[in-house]
Amino acid sequence: MTFPAARRLRSALAACAAALAVGLVVPQPGVAQEGAAAVQDVTLTDVMLPFGATVVKVPRLTASGTRLSKDDLAAILKPDGPEPWATRLARLDAASLTAPVVDSEHAGPGDLRQSATYRDVVAKDVRAGRIGELTASGVTLSSKGTKASPGAAGTYGAFRATDVDLTAFGRLATEAGDGKGPVLRVYGSLQLSDIAISDEKGTTVKVTRLEGRDLGARQVPGGWNGALDALTGGLNDPATQSRSASAAADILGAQTIGSVDIKGVSISDSTAEPLLAEIERLFYTSTGPDAGVGIEGFSLASGVTRTRLGRLTLTGTSLGPVIAELRRLAEKPDTTPGADEARRLATGLGTFTLTDLTVDLPPETPVQKRGALDTPREKLAQGAKPARARMAEARAPDAKAGDPLVPIPAKVNRVVLRRGVFGPGPVVEGAPASTRLTLTGLDVPASLAAGLPLVGALPAFGYGDLSFDMSADAAWDDAARTVALRDVTLSGKDIGTVKLAALFGGIGPELFSGSVPAQTMLLFSGNARTLDLTVENSGLFERFLAAQAKELSLKPDELRKEYVTASVLGVPVILGNGPAAKTIGAAMGQFVMNPGKLTIRAKAKEPTGIGFVELGTAPSPAAVLDRLDVDAKAN
């Protein structure tokens, strides 16, 4: 696992540092310095401000409406001043600070080099280390690539920030902390427009507008400069895993964001398989009923496949499990992140809700054109084409000579999901104590269902495109070592509904451990205790009966009577002919006679249930049914 975004974040922060440099380069005093008798304008040249591995350079800086003398201002901005940056910057005071150009350069980690140039930088109302409004007409970014990370270049349009705290920025960038101190707010608000960044591999990211509010953080070990450098190492390399995981945990736990709203996002990849992803809006809100992350108007085009999503939200997210797992990886650098680690990282994600998802898959048949080959020239042109192209332009069987060439597009395989919700419950022993999945309005072309168990047979009964709803609600009780399938429901339009509920015992946290040996042991410790099954017919049985009757050259009513006999007499014989078997057979017979609703409920007679091993090795169905209390009803 690597963190390519860290480099982009570094570039953005370095750029912000440059913009802030207007404020940074212009320390702001809250009290007039001795020796400055009146308000004046002061200009400095070749100002250089080092912040760890980041160096901000200002060729020309003008402070207007300040009581600071030129020497006072130079002392505040002295690269090797005896006082910390935060202390000196707190003395900045001016009506405005202006700089035609502000450059920011960051070195590291390794050979990586990043730079940002801000143009026409203006800081207004600079008081006691704070800027009322900070603006720049545009920004240019670039980074020199390494083997692990390609180089990139980009631009920003207009930049504007309000309530900028330069002292907080200086402390966060260069001073170390434990990640538990007070939040230092850097920006009250931040706006960027017309962002465009491209890397050497052909990936381009564009953003029309970005707005953020209440952006701040706590001080972290090594300062934020050091943490961002460590983050670029990634988790896949044992040499950098410990440091990267620790830095990621520090950053996630220390950052604070009131809200972020990003509009007009596009990501394009011009490599061997061109890709274009577009997002109308991406947002994050920390408080209120809609707190969480959201995406609106997402589209993805890759080859001939098209995906569109109306809205996706993620709410109820907790970073606690993610931070805890990153700390664990930092303490065990010899651990290679795998499925188990990924599962623990995902346990605090919260509830996903998506609406209006559409996926267009490529058609399975070539496009045909209606018309005939009338002229020698057309025949010659057709014969000169490759066989594959000729097949793609094959004429329709009913085409006549002289018919115009009219394209007949092949049907697109479109999968639609109107709404989907996935919500894991509170985390216990590294796993969610409950999970619920709901899919509403899942439409699938019949051609895509071919070959699937059960569903693949539906087209043979006259079904075209298939429409399903599904829900699953499960809960794990660590103390009781049980897993309850409280409700698993699958229903199809004009097909029917199947509902399942069950209770299993002897299941502990090893189910979620990711260890095959531990999960295998559940076969010996797990048991089945209850099972409720309900089948409701909404048209499938009648279609099935009609298709079978046609194939057997029987009338549907004749075949129905045979199935009733087979249910009442044959099913009990197959199941051992005990009381439970006869109850099930009688209920099935009633259902076949009048297909409406069939319910079967089974409960183990022993409180400890029936072991999975016993179920798998039972010599006959009767050996299992004799250990169950069974109730079956129809209609």
Side-chain angles (χ1 to χ4, degrees):
M1 183 182 298
T2 58
F3 297 96
R7 180 172 53 79
R8 300 270 173 83
L9 179 60
R10 159 63 63 195
S11 297
L13 290 179
C16 292
L20 288 174
V22 165
L24 289 175
V25 296
V26 193
Q28 311 161 6
V31 181
Q33 302 292 309
E34 294 182 7
V39 173
Q40 58 185 322
D41 293 348
V42 175
T43 299
L44 297 180
T45 58
D46 299 325
V47 176
M48 183 176 70
L49 306 173
F51 296 92
T54 300
V55 177
V56 177
K57 298 178 181 179
V58 187
R60 181 181 180 84
L61 173 68
T62 299
S64 301
T66 181
R67 295 183 182 277
L68 294 171
S69 68
K70 186 173 183 178
D71 290 342
D72 292 334
L73 188 56
I76 292 173
L77 302 179
K78 188 177 180 181
D80 56 351
E83 297 176 294
W85 276 116
T87 302
R88 285 184 280 156
L89 292 175
R91 295 201 295 268
L92 280 175
D93 185 88
S96 68
L97 300 169
T98 59
V101 176
V102 174
D103 293 320
S104 173
E105 299 178 355
H106 181 83
D111 296 332
L112 186 63
R113 298 291 182 270
Q114 300 170 79
S115 64
T117 298
Y118 283 71
R119 301 181 301 277
D120 305 322
V121 181
V122 178
K124 298 179 180 179
D125 191 20
V126 183
R127 307 297 175 194
R130 288 184 170 85
I131 299 175
E133 181 185 51
L134 176 63
T135 61
S137 63
V139 186
T140 302
L141 308 173
S142 66
S143 67
K144 177 183 177 183
T146 64
K147 291 182 179 180
S149 181
T155 59
Y156 294 170
F159 169 94
R160 180 177 182 270
T162 62
D163 195 11
V164 181
D165 192 334
L166 299 176
T167 61
F169 181 86
R171 292 179 63 189
L172 289 171
T174 61
E175 297 179 9
D178 60 3
K180 300 178 182 179
V183 173
L184 304 179
R185 192 178 75 161
V186 178
Y187 298 103
S189 69
L190 173 68
Q191 295 98 37
L192 290 171
S193 62
D194 301 324
I195 301 170
I197 300 174
S198 300
D199 67 20
E200 295 174 342
K201 291 186 176 181
T203 301
T204 299
V205 179
K206 295 182 179 181
V207 176
T208 301
R209 185 171 180 82
L210 181 152
E211 298 181 356
R213 304 192 68 83
D214 297 327
L215 310 178
R218 297 179 173 85
Q219 292 170 290
V220 299
W224 274 73
N225 277 346
L228 289 172
D229 281 345
L231 193 64
T232 59
L235 299 180
N236 291 330
D237 186 350
T240 61
Q241 175 181 302
S242 179
R243 188 163 177 252
S244 295
S246 180
D250 290 339
I251 290 174
L252 287 176
Q255 56 79 34
T256 62
I257 301 174
S259 65
V260 174
D261 200 313
I262 305 174
K263 296 180 180 178
V265 180
S266 69
I267 303 172
S268 61
D269 188 344
S270 58
T271 54
E273 295 184 5
L275 176 147
L276 175 63
E278 296 179 303
I279 301 174
E280 294 179 5
R281 181 184 178 223
L282 192 156
F283 59 91
Y284 166 78
T285 305
S286 60
T287 59
D290 296 327
V293 179
I295 296 175
E296 295 178 347
F298 171 81
S299 64
L300 175 65
S302 177
V304 295
T305 302
R306 300 289 186 273
T307 301
R308 292 174 295 277
L309 177 63
R311 181 181 173 92
L312 171 67
T313 60
L314 175 59
T315 58
T317 300
S318 172
L319 293 177
V322 178
I323 294 173
E325 179 59 19
L326 289 170
R327 299 287 187 206
R328 194 184 74 84
L329 289 174
E331 294 173 357
K332 297 182 178 181
D334 56 338
T335 300
T336 301
D340 193 24
E341 286 71 26
R343 177 188 56 77
R344 284 197 290 262
L345 284 171
T347 52
L349 285 180
T351 300
F352 286 92
T353 303
L354 64 84
T355 56
D356 298 329
L357 172 65
T358 302
V359 180
D360 288 340
L361 301 173
E364 297 180 357
T365 57
V367 175
Q368 295 181 332
K369 290 186 177 180
R370 189 179 301 277
L373 300 174
D374 318 277
T375 67
R377 177 176 296 179
E378 186 179 357
K379 294 179 181 179
L380 180 63
Q382 177 71 5
K385 293 181 179 180
R388 189 172 183 179
R390 294 199 303 271
M391 181 174 62
E393 294 183 355
R395 267 36 179 194
D398 58 344
K400 299 178 181 179
D403 285 351
L405 298 177
V406 180
I408 305 176
K411 182 180 179 181
V412 174
N413 286 320
R414 173 169 292 178
V415 179
V416 176
L417 177 61
R418 285 187 287 276
R419 179 179 172 83
V421 180
F422 174 71
V427 177
V428 178
E429 294 290 334
S434 62
T435 302
R436 180 164 184 82
L437 171 67
T438 302
L439 303 178
T440 303
L442 176 60
D443 298 339
V444 182
S447 59
L448 293 182
L452 296 177
L454 300 178
V455 177
L458 293 176
F461 303 138
Y463 289 99
D465 292 346
L466 308 174
S467 183
F468 298 99
D469 293 338
M470 189 185 84
S471 65
D473 185 0
W476 171 56
D477 188 330
D478 179 40
R481 294 181 64 85
T482 60
V483 170
L485 300 180
R486 294 183 291 203
D487 176 31
V488 178
T489 301
L490 175 63
S491 61
K493 182 180 180 182
D494 299 327
I495 298 174
T497 301
V498 177
K499 295 183 178 181
L500 175 69
L503 178 65
F504 304 100
I507 299 177
E510 58 271 17
L511 174 65
F512 312 98
S513 68
S515 168
V516 174
Q519 293 177 341
T520 302
M521 289 301 297
L522 292 175
L523 294 175
F524 299 93
S525 64
N527 57 76
R529 300 184 181 180
T530 63
L531 174 68
D532 291 351
L533 175 65
T534 300
V535 177
E536 296 183 49
N537 173 56
S538 298
L540 173 60
F541 188 84
E542 287 81 2
R543 294 192 183 209
F544 167 78
L545 194 66
Q548 292 296 303
K550 183 178 181 180
E551 183 175 343
L552 298 173
S553 300
L554 295 174
K555 294 181 179 180
D557 286 343
E558 294 175 341
L559 184 59
R560 185 191 302 271
K561 293 178 181 179
E562 291 189 12
Y563 282 158
V564 169
T565 301
S567 299
V568 175
L569 301 179
V571 169
V573 172
I574 295 173
L575 297 180
N577 221 16
K582 293 179 180 179
T583 299
I584 295 173
M588 291 181 63
Q590 293 176 9
F591 177 82
V592 172
M593 180 61 67
N594 183 19
K597 182 177 181 180
L598 172 66
T599 301
I600 300 175
R601 292 185 172 89
K603 181 179 180 181
K605 295 178 180 179
E606 300 92 343
T608 55
I610 303 175
F612 293 157
V613 172
E614 296 175 280
L615 289 173
T617 59
S620 65
V624 176
L625 289 176
D626 287 344
R627 300 177 60 183
L628 298 173
D629 289 327
V630 178
D631 182 26
K633 296 179 181 179
N635 305 316

